[in-house]
Amino acid sequence: MKHKASNLKFHLVILLMTVITFTSCKDENIGDYILTGNIESLIPENSWKIKQTNTSDGKYILFTPDLNSNFEYWGLSLKKVEYYIDGSFYKTETSRPFELMINKENFSIGMHNIKVVLLIVSETCEDIILEKSTEFQIRSNETEYNISPGDFYIDYNRVIQGDYLVITPELLVESSSKGCKIDKVEYYWDEKLIATEKTMPFTLKYKVNDNIGTSHNIKVSIYYHDDKNDFLIYNWGFIGYKVYSDDDALMSWSIKSTRNNYKNNGLLSLVAKQIKGKKSKKQFIIEFYLDGHLIGHSSDFPYILDYKLSGLKVGSHIVTAKSTTQEGGATITYSTDKTIVITE
């Protein structure tokens, strides 16, 4: 049933006062409505934001309009985004993810302003123009300011009481500076130095007899050098590392690299692990997706996927891990996302 825009506004304002949002077409509490007319004033200010992503190499910034899920529920969609930098028109984007990627070398050192203008459309409402502005900063020596020359993956396991904690640092050569080499690695358990390793593979093996359920802090200090620096340190930590029991089971996943910038023809390395006590009946399945496309899956752990990136457009891409837990007749599935950026 269609109502006039004024009646719709009355109902939506009432709903805003009670749940700090508004609804569109179908809500069992207020009846069946179709949005019509100009509803721009009804869209909450906090319903969207400008997402800013810096690439780990310090060269690029990505700006993306981040709309919450209510826009889809309201029957609204994003059609066009215009970007203005320092008061001047810069670019228009008309396809997902509607993002702008800028090279910092094209801008002077200092503060800059970016304005993002959205064109929102609907089958029944008038087109809506939304805009927001934010600032970004360009620094000198941006690359040196942001990242460590060495890119390391810390391979560690979870433990059940009485197991050995095993940690091995892996130097990711392709994403590290030229000539990177590990000299020694120090391991700390609850702020106490428990081992110093000076030879490859620099692995720690430490028996954990602490009580079940207790949490601990791990620190790994990697001393290394490269062609430009004789002395470098990379510190990695895990706060709240838990000691599990034979009843526990857990699966986790990660991207090996600490960088978010990638190139076509490079490798995206993903890792999934599990800890499973002797008494646990749980079974795990992991599925990896890139921009919604399945790229790997396994029920055997640890699972390492080295996926070659190719044919991807410059900009951000979403890596999704879909984790499934099965126990008895119950199945639980959840997904988590991480963003990578293709720079060339």
Side-chain angles (χ1 to χ4, degrees):
M1 174 180 180
K2 292 189 177 181
H3 295 259
K4 294 181 179 179
S6 60
N7 291 336
L8 176 58
K9 288 184 178 181
F10 173 77
H11 286 285
L12 292 179
V13 169
I14 294 297
L15 189 57
L16 271 170
M17 295 173 61
T18 58
V19 298
I20 321 178
T21 185
F22 74 93
T23 187
S24 62
C25 301
K26 295 182 180 179
D27 188 292
E28 59 185 6
N29 296 318
I30 60 174
D32 189 6
Y33 292 90
I34 297 176
L35 293 177
T36 60
N38 188 342
I39 63 167
E40 182 175 337
S41 62
L42 299 175
I43 298 180
E45 177 68 20
N46 63 358
S47 64
W48 74 283
K49 61 184 179 181
I50 304 170
K51 180 181 177 182
Q52 180 174 327
T53 303
N54 291 273
T55 57
S56 299
D57 58 8
K59 295 181 180 180
Y60 304 94
I61 307 177
L62 286 83
F63 299 96
T64 312
D66 186 8
L67 283 62
N68 69 26
S69 58
N70 281 334
F71 277 83
E72 182 178 356
Y73 179 64
W74 300 329
L76 306 175
S77 58
L78 182 57
K79 185 176 182 180
K80 183 176 71 172
V81 180
E82 292 180 347
Y83 290 94
Y84 297 79
I85 297 181
D86 296 332
S88 299
F89 173 76
Y90 193 82
K91 194 176 182 182
T92 297
E93 294 291 341
T94 57
S95 60
R96 292 183 181 275
F98 298 97
E99 69 188 5
L100 173 67
M101 182 172 172
I102 64 170
N103 188 329
K104 295 179 182 179
E105 294 180 353
N106 297 331
F107 295 87
S108 61
I109 294 171
M111 297 301 298
H112 297 269
N113 177 272
I114 182 167
K115 181 173 74 172
V116 181
V117 181
L118 312 184
L119 173 62
I120 305 293
V121 299
S122 168
E123 292 183 359
T124 57
C125 308
E126 295 178 9
D127 292 349
I128 306 166
I129 300 295
L130 302 176
E131 66 177 62
K132 280 186 180 180
S133 296
T134 190
E135 292 186 331
F136 64 95
Q137 185 175 10
I138 303 296
R139 300 183 180 92
S140 60
N141 299 322
E142 189 81 11
T143 301
E144 289 81 358
Y145 181 86
N146 275 332
I147 65 171
S148 161
D151 187 16
F152 299 94
Y153 169 64
I154 308 300
D155 186 10
Y156 69 94
N157 64 322
R158 309 272 185 163
V159 297
I160 294 169
Q161 185 185 41
D163 286 348
Y164 282 93
L165 168 63
V166 180
I167 304 178
T168 303
E170 179 184 348
L171 174 65
L172 304 177
V173 177
E174 288 188 1
S175 50
S176 295
S177 58
K178 187 176 180 180
C180 263
K181 185 177 180 180
I182 299 175
D183 298 311
K184 71 173 181 178
V185 182
E186 293 179 347
Y187 295 95
Y188 295 82
W189 178 266
D190 290 335
E191 288 74 52
K192 179 182 178 182
L193 179 65
I194 57 174
T196 300
E197 300 295 335
K198 297 182 179 181
T199 57
M200 287 285 291
F202 305 99
T203 298
L204 169 73
K205 189 175 182 181
Y206 176 71
K207 191 168 186 178
V208 179
N209 289 316
D210 299 77
N211 292 333
I212 293 169
T214 56
S215 294
H216 304 271
N217 297 332
I218 299 172
K219 179 183 174 183
V220 179
S221 294
I222 301 175
Y223 296 81
Y224 69 105
H225 65 272
D226 65 7
D227 284 352
K228 294 182 179 180
N229 304 279
D230 293 329
F231 183 81
L232 295 165
I233 301 177
Y234 175 84
N235 289 310
W236 176 91
F238 191 128
I239 298 174
Y241 180 85
K242 183 180 176 182
V243 180
Y244 291 93
S245 74
D246 280 332
D247 295 312
D248 292 320
L250 176 72
M251 180 176 62
S252 61
W253 77 280
S254 62
I255 299 177
K256 272 192 175 185
S257 178
T258 59
R259 319 288 202 231
N260 65 357
N261 56 288
Y262 290 82
K263 299 177 182 179
N264 278 301
N265 297 318
L267 288 180
L268 171 66
S269 294
L270 308 173
V271 182
K273 301 178 181 179
Q274 72 170 14
I275 179 173
K276 186 176 178 182
K278 297 177 183 178
K279 297 179 182 179
S280 175
K281 305 284 188 187
K282 290 182 179 179
Q283 300 292 328
F284 298 110
I285 300 172
I286 188 75
E287 296 174 343
F288 287 124
Y289 295 82
L290 180 60
D291 294 334
H293 301 288
L294 181 67
I295 58 175
H297 62 93
S298 182
S299 57
D300 295 322
F301 300 92
Y303 173 53
I304 300 175
L305 174 64
D306 290 322
Y307 180 77
K308 186 175 181 179
L309 301 167
S310 64
L312 298 175
K313 68 177 183 179
V314 170
S316 64
H317 297 266
I318 304 300
V319 179
T320 301
K322 181 180 177 182
S323 306
T324 300
T325 304
Q326 298 174 337
E327 184 175 19
T331 299
I332 300 175
T333 299
Y334 68 94
S335 298
T336 53
D337 296 333
K338 295 184 179 182
T339 300
I340 64 170
V341 181
I342 298 297
T343 58
E344 57 183 86

